[in-house]
Amino acid sequence: MYTQGLASGVDTNERQLEDAALLQRFQERIDAEERIEPNDWMPEAYRRTLVRQISQHAHSEIIGMQPEGNWITRAPSLRRKAALLAKVQDECGHGLYLYAAAETLGVAREEMVDQLLAGKAKYSSIFNYPTLTWADIGAIGWLVDGAAIMNQIPLCRCSYGPYARAMIRVCKEESFHQRQGYEIMLTLCRGTAEQKEMAQDALNRWWWPCLMMFGPPDSASQHTDTSTRWKIKRFTNDELRRKFVDATVPQAHFLGLTVPDPELRFDEATGHWVHGAIDWDEFKQVVAGNGPCNTQRLERRRRTEQDGAWVRAAARAFAEKEKSHRNAAAAA
Amino acid sequence: MTSIRVTETPLVTYVLRRADDALVLGHRLSEWCGKAPMMEEEMALANMGLDLIGQARALYTYAGEAEAAGHDEDALAYRRDERAYRNLLLVEQPNGDFAVTMVRQLLYAAYADPYWRAMMSSRDATLAAIAAKAEKETAYHLRHSAEWVVRLGDGTPESHERTARALMTLWPYTGELFETDAVDDAMIEAGIAVDPASLRDTWRATVADVLGRATLTMPADGYMQKGGRSGRHSEHLGHLLTELQYMQRTIPGATW
Ligand SMILES: [Fe+2]
Ligand SMILES: [Fe+2]
Ligand SMILES: [Fe+2]
């Protein structure tokens, strides 16, 4: 989900050049559910797909700090303020683990961050929507972290070891965020009329963008095949979306909220909730850079990089001096 | 929502002052979220902010108990206006650049660390327990900010210049750390509070050591700003509180 913009990564010529025996052995290991580790042989396209997916996931965690960070200074109680600050800090930590996981594939964090800042890397479309009220913090925890979990639990069994292990750690924290977000919603829904209205409004604005987080419908998605064969992806976009809807609709009902989809119905035959049509045009626009906050999010990241440049330069200069002092002391 | 009126006994005022220091500085650090010069520092600033907000919560809860008028931590944090806030002027100063934030943290932590250590033997058991936790946290804040001030002071010409400027800007707010009034006297007398005068040498030695390693000069003590302890603040605090208290003032009396 945090990797919706993923384009098909396999170059056929390149694959033919690779040793067929190595490739076969690699696929056998994948089929046997063995984990691939950084020093193991892997096809170039596997490496490239993973770098793209893991770095997009990392970028999403980092950009995702902004919409929630928007409410830290205005959180309505000290308990909520501390919990939100800790949550956003967790997301930063996720970004750090994920960049580290991607680095095991031979790409430096700086390079990945440069791509993000240059507007060449994608991150989850969801973070291009604004947080307008406190209820949005509840809705993001409940829905966005909830959708992230749906996508990331299968990634805990991803064939690439460092990514799978990062996901296990991340998923634990995301479930905690999800419960915390739901609890914010529950408190609002049991509160004053104004609070409940705020909660409904947040659901109205976040519901559809959350369904879009799982990416284009299976009928339109080109890259699932290879990713599935390599056990990077274990469920299709539509399957994950359906799991999310099935899990979330009863939670909305428990809150006493209305899902903003007049066509939503429970299908007795399949036992699944069926939702109405998703506005894929909106999704395409947001992915293409035209969402309500795309410009603002990237601008903010760039400004942060720029503002911090002198600090990083000072840290480097100081480390250099320390090193030469140490060397001088060792030589003396 | 209308502001609350706190009945300020010496103990209530004394505890509120510390709570306000911790909350205002914690809030300032939380303003850095998403803006830190590097991701590792994002984590560190949030850690320090969380520690301070945690200290504030414990202190407000205790102030509320001591007042015994039914004011909980949120009533005390969200429903007093700037004239009722009792924090040091130092902690309400805007974040400025990273040098200002780190120098502010150093100047405060170099005081707060020995302060909380001494408070561990307060005759007030609640404050002594809060102090034991706060001391460990503040020791880390001191280490972290000192490391940065040294790096920035002895980094590049630009970082040196910025840090020297930060020091000049913030120095006039350091006198207030050691101010005492009748409230402090009563608490010191009762064996509840430590006399800040007894911390002055330690504070100066710590700051002098860090500045020396940072190749920075300790400013001369000129005219010192004061007033925070009695609610005469800089213009900055009102804006901070406007943001902090926004939700509680918008939908009064709600549970969050
Ligand atoms: Fe996360
Ligand atoms: Fe995530
Ligand atoms: Fe999360």
Side-chain angles (χ1 to χ4, degrees), chain B residues 19 32 48 98 111 153 179 181 189 238:
Chain B
W32 270 99
M48 295 193 290
F98 189 67
Y111 169 83
E179 283 284 318
D181 62 9
E189 187 89 355

Side-chain angles (χ1 to χ4, degrees), chain A residues 87 91 145 174 177:
Chain A
K87 183 198 191 254
E91 306 300 2
D145 286 80
E174 303 295 16
H177 299 164

Side-chain angles (χ1 to χ4, degrees), chain A residues 73 76 80 109 195 312 321, chain B residues 37 40 154 243 248 255-256:
Chain A
T73 56
R80 296 295 186 199
R109 194 216 287 184
Q195 284 176 301
R312 295 189 300 275
K321 285 185 204 179
Chain B
E40 287 75 6
D154 193 20
E243 206 169 327
Q248 293 248 355
T255 302
W256 299 99

Side-chain angles (χ1 to χ4, degrees), chain A residues 2 57 61 91 94 148 152 170 174:
Chain A
Y2 281 0
H57 191 164
E61 302 284 353
E91 306 300 2
H94 298 169
Q152 287 167 202
V170 166
E174 303 295 16

